[in-house]
Amino acid sequence: MDASRSHGPDRLSALLGPPAAAPVPVDWPAVESWLRLRLPADYKALAAAYGPLDIGDCLWLHTPCVQAGHFDWGTWLRTTHRHCRISSRDAPPNEPPPFHPAPGGLLAFGMTRSSSHLFWDTAACADPDRWPVVLFHQDAVYRGINPWRSYGTPLLDFLDGVLATGMPLPGGGTLGPLPPTARRTAFLPGAVPWVPPAPGAEPVPAARRRAALREGSGLDALRLLTPPPRVPRLGPGDWPALFDRLGTRLPADYLALMSRYGAGCWMGWLRFLTPLRTGEDGFVRHVAQTLNGYRTLREHDPQGHRLPLWPAAGGFLPFANSIDGDQFGWLTEGDPDGWPLTVWPRHADQGPPLPGTLTEVLLAWLRGTLSAEGLPGLDRDDDPLEYATFEPWTDASYW
């Protein structure tokens, strides 16, 4: 095929019509330097004319952009690769293909509303303009069928087929045919250009961080494994005022952890409330909302919601939640420094308390040695250092 034809502006217009919204600019040299790959010209042409875009109300073509709290292209790449790697093991051939940044690994560029994920096979050809599209179909995994299919064609030829006749899916059925529409992705109305993370010098050398996966205990080991921010985000209030409003002090282990890290998100999953935030979005209000939600659910399902609630003796007092809606808190039995930790899981029955203090639980989870409801474990091919992260909140953060 003539590569210049594959990404010509006339062909884009013929396929998708005129852009409906201004595209989000992309610094392609910076993106390709970060990837250490040159990307297909037809993809860059699509992004420059339309992206990010929803094709035929079914297929999302993701481009390097970010919208706070909704989407980060670099994070999406990593999580998509990881999800498909892990899911691949549940259906034949049961061994996942390599994914970028492995040499020749699959590189994601889009997904569909039917839980398919779209990749380029970067090992197929040295010329990225000829990289064939490969599809991973989640529904095939559920049916025990090989979820992977390579179409042997580059991006615009693949889209041509999807729009005109549909393209076959693993296990039967087709993706398409779709109406030739190209709209701004609905959940990215305020997207801005994505900026690759600066390499910078690590505050803790990688060798010391790796040693902390096996050695040390408590807050000292946690600080080596996951370096804390220079200034923890706690809020403008003070602890005595919070304790007065709650009617109790909180565990010393929690206070020590928060004094180092403040509020934020651990491992891209576990979100700690900002404890000393004042005003209507404060800690006490989040606690009250969570407990009110539990009471409502208990009215409909008392057997599935048996926890007593703060301020009852031994009651559940939440302080964190997961991005999937699991709630983390203490069972307020006796002295606060001895309160057990527990999870109110969203998708499972209530389990027993977690073993150890908050810092011990966090350290074991980040090391990959603890998996519990609400705290998903690492995959066997994950490097724990990649996931042992903490993102501090800002003044604009909800939690």
Side-chain angles (χ1 to χ4, degrees):
M1 180 199 337
D2 180 356
S4 64
R5 175 180 174 270
S6 72
H7 57 269
D10 291 342
R11 190 175 182 203
L12 289 178
S13 180
L15 278 175
L16 300 172
V24 177
V26 178
D27 184 346
W28 293 113
V31 169
E32 292 175 324
S33 175
W34 180 77
L35 288 171
R36 299 184 180 180
L37 284 174
R38 185 166 60 88
L39 292 171
D42 53 11
Y43 169 72
K44 291 190 285 188
L46 276 166
Y50 298 90
L53 71 160
D54 181 337
I55 298 173
D57 294 326
C58 180
L59 189 157
W60 289 305
L61 189 138
H62 290 313
T63 62
C65 67
V66 62
Q67 183 165 317
H70 290 81
F71 182 80
D72 179 284
W73 183 74
T75 301
W76 174 78
L77 279 181
R78 178 168 59 87
T79 56
T80 298
H81 293 177
R82 184 175 187 264
H83 166 77
C84 294
R85 164 163 49 88
I86 295 172
S87 293
S88 288
R89 300 198 185 101
D90 294 331
N94 302 111
E95 280 301 319
F99 294 88
H100 182 78
L106 298 178
L107 179 65
F109 67 83
M111 60 187 299
T112 76
R113 294 178 189 268
S114 58
S115 299
S116 295
H117 300 268
L118 298 167
F119 299 83
W120 291 295
D121 181 359
T122 70
C125 182
D127 180 1
D129 293 337
R130 298 173 60 191
W131 285 345
V133 171
V134 176
L135 180 140
F136 173 87
H137 192 42
Q138 187 69 51
D139 184 64
V141 174
Y142 301 144
R143 295 158 57 196
I145 300 167
N146 185 347
W148 293 100
R149 184 180 185 111
S150 176
Y151 296 98
T153 60
L155 177 57
L156 284 194
D157 287 346
F158 170 78
L159 292 179
D160 217 345
V162 167
L163 294 170
T165 60
M167 298 294 270
L169 292 169
T174 64
L175 174 60
L178 301 178
T181 58
R183 301 185 178 93
R184 166 63 64 84
T185 302
F187 59 84
L188 297 175
V192 297
W194 180 80
V195 178
E202 290 190 86
V204 175
R208 294 189 69 192
R209 290 191 66 213
R210 195 162 295 281
L213 289 171
R214 305 176 303 276
E215 303 168 359
S217 62
L219 195 54
D220 288 340
L222 186 64
R223 291 171 64 189
L224 286 176
L225 179 60
T226 306
R230 289 184 175 86
V231 179
R233 169 67 182 155
L234 294 171
D238 59 66
W239 291 112
L242 175 62
F243 298 165
D244 184 62
R245 291 194 67 195
L246 281 173
T248 180
R249 69 176 178 88
L250 298 177
D253 177 68
Y254 169 75
L255 268 63
L257 178 75
M258 298 304 288
S259 72
R260 291 288 186 270
Y261 288 90
C265 187
W266 291 87
M267 214 164 160
W269 178 263
L270 182 59
R271 306 181 293 201
F272 276 59
L273 304 178
T274 305
L276 305 181
R277 172 177 276 167
T278 55
E280 63 178 20
D281 289 327
F283 184 93
V284 174
R285 178 173 176 268
H286 283 300
V287 168
Q289 286 180 326
T290 301
L291 299 184
N292 285 339
Y294 194 94
R295 291 187 187 96
T296 300
L297 291 171
R298 185 162 56 190
E299 291 176 2
H300 300 283
D301 180 19
Q303 295 301 312
H305 297 81
R306 299 184 177 184
L307 289 177
L309 301 178
W310 173 260
F316 178 64
L317 176 58
F319 64 87
N321 57 54
S322 80
I323 63 173
D324 202 32
D326 310 284
Q327 299 290 335
F328 292 74
W330 300 283
L331 297 177
T332 54
E333 302 170 355
D335 185 88
D337 293 339
W339 286 349
L341 286 168
T342 195
V343 182
W344 163 27
R346 181 184 176 193
H347 297 297
D349 295 333
Q350 183 65 51
L354 297 170
T357 66
L358 175 58
T359 299
E360 290 168 346
V361 166
L362 271 178
L363 186 57
W365 180 50
L366 294 170
R367 284 171 166 171
T369 60
L370 172 68
S371 178
E373 293 297 343
L375 291 175
L378 296 175
D379 181 63
R380 69 189 187 210
D381 290 333
D382 287 336
D383 180 354
L385 284 191
E386 183 180 351
Y387 295 92
T389 60
F390 177 76
E391 178 188 357
W393 296 143
T394 67
D395 290 342
S397 300
Y398 177 73
W399 300 109

